[in-house]
Amino acid sequence: MVRAMDLTDRKLLNLVQSRFPLVDRPYQELGEALGISEQETMERLAVLKRQNVLRQVSAIFDTRRLGYKTTLVAMAYPPDKLHRGALRINRHPGVSHNYAREGSYYNLWFTLAVPPEDDLQATVERMARETEAVSVRVMPTIRFFKIGVNFDMVQEKGAAHNYSPDGLGDALADAPAKDWNKAVPVSEEDRAAIRELQEDLPLVSRPFDAMAQRLGLSTAQLFALAQDFQQRRIMRRYSGVLHHRRSGFRANAMVVWKVPPERSEEVGLAMAQNPAVTHCYERPTFPDWPYTHFTMVHATTQEQCEEVAREISQATGITDRLLLYSTREYKKTRVRYFVEDYEMYREMEEASLSSQLSAVSGQLPFPSHGGRGLKA
């Protein structure tokens, strides 16, 4: 049975999204803020996880600062090949978000991250070839204006916090825009801590104890390291992430805008001010794609998404836009860093390619051995 969320559940979700406490007994501290016990706090979160309202509680890292290469990818498929292509793309461990969207020629949109040693462009091209995409566009971020998914579960509206990785619009930012996407040195000890902090936090009274023990640290040292990660802008925050559809935010529109180059920063900052906008980026254009600015909008209805788009248009004077609604969520997860998933994926792809070449070579009029046949 699905238990309806009450006001305490909603307040609890607001807390875990915004300021999850990095302390020895975080569930006790959350409970004290709500006037409930530590045990009840954990029980409520367990129910919310079972119902897939709360996806997980963990650290959120900055992909580029860790040296990973990342981009948004748009692909176009014939309708009868879209589903199969999306499932094949899901196999890559660096695909964190993958949506079928309506409203443009490109009907599949996904984010892709690859480790420093991998070739991002080659990976996308292989994906497009193997899934028989008709067309593909690689759309990396030129400028980050905002990234900060947050939902006000009490008021049932977007409440995305204004966070710009490159410091745009932040008068107090101590890092210039020129280095926002530069990788920073990460030691083996840092990597080990990142592997721990990125995993879902268990629902036990002292959830950080085992993590610290595996790292050979005290919990105080672990919390200090997490704070250091934030100061180095490796880690954005430590918080809960909700499943927006299960949380009541069933409408999801990617609104793309055609913005004149001379107004790029001014308009981007204005768009980021809207609390219903969770992400705001500037991306490259193409002959068949003139849209420069991307705003992600989550709301309870499509009508609310359209109202947000109208508000942004009125605030900026930009009217040339498209609303691309998600029709299917194929994948939504966190990228996991410094793990074996990528190596396992490469081995799987190589095995698949070897199998295909073997099948082809068996049909050739010359032998596939002795250095005279097909080579991978």
Side-chain angles (χ1 to χ4, degrees):
M1 292 182 62
V2 176
R3 176 177 65 80
M5 287 184 286
D6 61 17
L7 182 59
T8 301
D9 286 330
R10 293 178 179 277
K11 289 181 177 180
L12 178 57
L13 289 172
N14 280 0
L15 285 178
V16 299
Q17 287 182 90
S18 58
R19 53 180 182 90
F20 192 91
L22 288 177
V23 297
D24 286 332
R25 298 181 68 174
Y27 304 119
Q28 181 184 60
E29 186 166 313
L30 289 168
E32 289 173 353
L34 297 172
I36 60 177
S37 69
E38 177 185 58
Q39 184 62 34
E40 183 180 345
T41 301
M42 292 189 290
E43 289 172 355
R44 284 178 177 271
L45 291 175
V47 171
L48 292 166
K49 280 190 174 183
R50 284 198 300 271
Q51 295 179 179
N52 204 21
V53 173
L54 177 64
R55 286 183 182 271
Q56 70 180 78
V57 176
S58 64
I60 301 173
F61 291 98
D62 191 306
T63 305
R64 293 167 179 80
R65 298 285 284 176
L66 295 179
Y68 281 64
K69 292 166 280 189
T70 184
T71 188
L72 176 69
V73 181
M75 287 189 179
Y77 291 92
D80 61 335
K81 293 185 178 180
L82 173 61
H83 180 69
R84 184 177 180 182
L87 295 181
R88 177 65 183 267
I89 284 168
N90 275 359
R91 290 164 51 177
H92 193 289
V95 172
S96 56
H97 296 64
N98 189 9
Y99 288 91
R101 293 188 181 277
E102 61 183 7
S104 80
Y105 171 65
Y106 296 98
N107 51 4
L108 191 73
W109 297 77
F110 62 92
T111 55
L112 173 67
V114 300
E117 64 273 15
D118 283 13
D119 187 322
L120 182 65
Q121 184 69 34
T123 301
V124 174
E125 290 173 359
R126 186 181 68 248
M127 287 177 158
R129 184 172 59 252
E130 293 177 349
T131 60
E132 299 180 77
V134 177
S135 183
V136 58
R137 291 299 187 198
V138 178
M139 302 182 180
T141 299
I142 294 174
R143 279 194 285 193
F144 259 117
F145 293 104
K146 183 181 185 180
I147 181 168
V149 181
N150 205 343
F151 303 113
D152 187 332
M153 294 299 295
V154 175
Q155 299 296 325
E156 296 187 79
K157 62 181 182 180
H161 51 84
N162 243 351
Y163 174 74
S164 170
D166 61 359
L168 286 173
D170 184 356
L172 301 178
D174 58 1
K178 64 182 181 181
D179 75 344
W180 70 270
N181 63 346
K182 288 186 178 179
V184 297
V186 180
S187 68
E188 285 303 317
E189 291 76 14
D190 289 339
R191 293 186 180 206
I194 289 167
R195 283 193 287 267
E196 291 287 346
L197 288 166
Q198 72 187 349
E199 298 300 332
D200 190 19
L201 194 67
L203 290 169
V204 297
S205 180
R206 296 179 62 93
F208 294 106
D209 283 5
M211 190 185 301
Q213 186 176 9
R214 286 190 293 268
L215 292 171
L217 303 174
S218 67
T219 54
Q221 290 172 320
L222 176 62
F223 302 147
L225 185 57
Q227 185 177 22
D228 176 63
F229 284 168
Q230 286 185 291
Q231 291 173 346
R232 292 159 61 190
R233 292 182 291 123
I234 291 173
M235 187 175 100
R236 292 176 181 160
R237 58 191 174 120
Y238 195 96
S239 69
V241 174
L242 308 188
H243 186 299
H244 60 85
R245 293 183 185 275
R246 293 294 182 91
S247 304
F249 295 81
R250 295 178 178 84
N252 166 5
M254 183 169 70
V255 190
V256 295
W257 309 79
K258 185 178 178 181
V259 179
E262 66 274 13
R263 296 192 62 203
S264 173
E265 184 168 339
E266 167 214 339
V267 170
L269 292 173
M271 289 175 169
Q273 294 299 314
N274 193 300
V277 171
T278 58
H279 302 71
C280 183
Y281 310 92
E282 181 183 359
R283 300 188 184 279
T285 59
F286 303 90
D288 64 344
W289 189 263
Y291 303 100
T292 58
H293 286 50
F294 290 61
T295 53
M296 288 301 311
V297 176
H298 297 276
T300 56
T301 65
Q302 285 195 6
E303 290 75 17
Q304 287 185 358
C305 288
E306 289 159 11
E307 177 59 30
V308 171
R310 285 192 293 270
E311 290 174 0
I312 293 173
S313 185
Q314 290 169 3
T316 62
I318 304 299
T319 58
D320 195 344
R321 67 178 187 264
L322 290 178
L323 275 77
L324 281 61
Y325 287 104
S326 63
T327 57
R328 179 158 185 173
E329 180 184 285
Y330 280 103
K331 188 177 184 182
K332 186 174 183 182
T333 186
R334 294 272 186 85
V335 175
R336 297 174 70 244
Y337 304 98
F338 308 120
V339 293
E340 297 178 353
D341 299 13
Y342 291 91
E343 183 61 35
M344 293 171 61
Y345 174 81
R346 283 190 287 267
E347 291 175 358
M348 179 180 67
E349 291 297 292
E350 289 171 4
S352 175
L353 178 60
S354 177
S355 176
Q356 293 172 31
L357 292 177
S358 296
V360 171
S361 64
Q363 302 173 19
L364 297 176
F366 50 81
S368 59
H369 53 81
R372 296 175 56 83
L374 291 176
K375 295 183 179 179

